[in-house]
Amino acid sequence: MAALACCRRPIAADEFLPVLLAIDAEPDPNEPHGSFADDAQAERFMALWTQRWDEVVASLDAEVQALDDERAYGPEVLDMRGLLASLPPEEREADVDDSEIPSFAQVWALGFMYAVESWAEEWTPPRDRDAAKVLDEAMTRIVALTEDDTDPPEIAMYEEDGEPTVSRNRLEAFGEAIWAVYDMRAVWRQFGPRVEQVRRLPTPGRNDPCSCGSGKKYKKCCGA
């Protein structure tokens, strides 16, 4: 959702739902409700989506100086390693290696980049060098979170007194990634949607055949 909010062009629901959530926006006659059980479920989903969308956009447009500001953007992330560590020993999978479990914020970063790659043309850097540099650095900070957290765990994110599962470097990288989202939003709000170049065909000479195909001379047809 954050990637959509930062995208240069507004992406409509009927365009992003099938790509990001595998939800049929235009169902076929054999499935009148698409991916939903009925119209009521579809309406409820879109109402919740819109509610969260408004929250995300309001947070990204707010002028915050620190991420602990209650208005600041806070993505929904879960420390999966912390969750599994909190389970009783008998409920844990004995043969599961920590490296097989997503690191803190890794799923969020992968989802962000999936949206970027799905509409790559909308993320083409602008010609302005300073803006392009800001965009590139911001993207680098997001991409960093798609990698595993291999540093020694020092922080317990799932439970205050739980087993440490997140490194301090990872937590700092997460904060930098949040600021990166703000930077992306600011860049594309500055430049707006891409403007397609209009290519004009050469104007025929006055005595040339008209380009409309009428068979008349240009001066007696479209050039009159």
Side-chain angles (χ1 to χ4, degrees):
M1 188 178 287
L4 291 176
C6 295
C7 190
R8 185 167 192 173
R9 170 177 66 88
I11 308 296
D14 61 354
E15 187 177 351
F16 69 71
L17 286 177
V19 175
L20 301 183
L21 301 175
I23 291 177
D24 247 337
E26 297 181 2
D28 60 46
N30 297 323
E31 297 181 356
H33 304 294
S35 300
F36 299 99
D38 50 38
D39 289 341
Q41 188 184 65
E43 291 174 3
R44 177 60 176 161
F45 171 83
M46 289 310 303
L48 292 173
W49 176 277
T50 301
Q51 177 181 332
R52 178 56 181 163
W53 174 268
D54 292 342
E55 292 172 356
V56 170
V57 170
S59 295
L60 293 178
D61 289 345
E63 295 184 5
V64 298
Q65 302 301 319
L67 295 180
D68 59 359
D69 188 320
E70 62 180 12
R71 300 171 301 162
Y73 168 58
E76 300 294 334
V77 296
L78 180 64
D79 178 19
M80 292 298 299
R81 295 180 182 180
L83 171 61
L84 293 178
S86 69
L87 295 175
E90 63 272 13
E91 295 183 20
R92 302 182 190 179
E93 293 285 346
D95 57 346
V96 174
D97 189 348
D98 277 355
S99 62
E100 299 175 2
I101 304 169
S103 300
F104 178 70
Q106 188 174 22
V107 173
W108 171 79
L110 288 169
F112 192 102
M113 293 309 302
Y114 181 78
V116 170
E117 292 164 3
S118 296
W119 289 277
E121 69 280 1
E122 302 301 336
W123 291 85
T124 302
R127 293 182 178 179
D128 184 282
R129 291 185 178 180
D130 291 337
K133 182 179 179 181
V134 170
L135 191 63
D136 180 66
E137 292 177 349
M139 197 71 72
T140 299
R141 282 178 273 167
I142 300 287
V143 171
L145 286 185
T146 66
E147 303 294 334
D148 288 332
D149 180 8
T150 57
D151 292 327
E154 302 176 66
I155 303 168
M157 297 294 294
Y158 187 75
E159 293 180 321
E160 186 174 347
D161 57 349
E163 178 182 333
T165 53
V166 180
S167 71
R168 191 165 301 279
N169 286 339
R170 184 69 170 197
L171 190 59
E172 292 176 357
F174 177 60
E176 290 298 321
I178 300 303
W179 287 123
V181 177
Y182 276 95
D183 291 342
M184 292 177 179
R185 172 82 172 168
V187 166
W188 291 137
R189 288 189 70 191
Q190 175 185 353
F191 288 93
R194 291 182 302 127
V195 178
E196 297 291 342
Q197 293 184 345
V198 178
R199 295 185 178 182
R200 297 181 179 276
L201 295 175
T203 302
R206 286 175 49 79
N207 293 313
D208 292 337
C210 188
S211 57
C212 72
S214 65
K216 299 179 181 180
K217 290 183 178 182
Y218 178 71
K219 65 182 180 182
K220 292 186 176 182
C221 189
C222 294

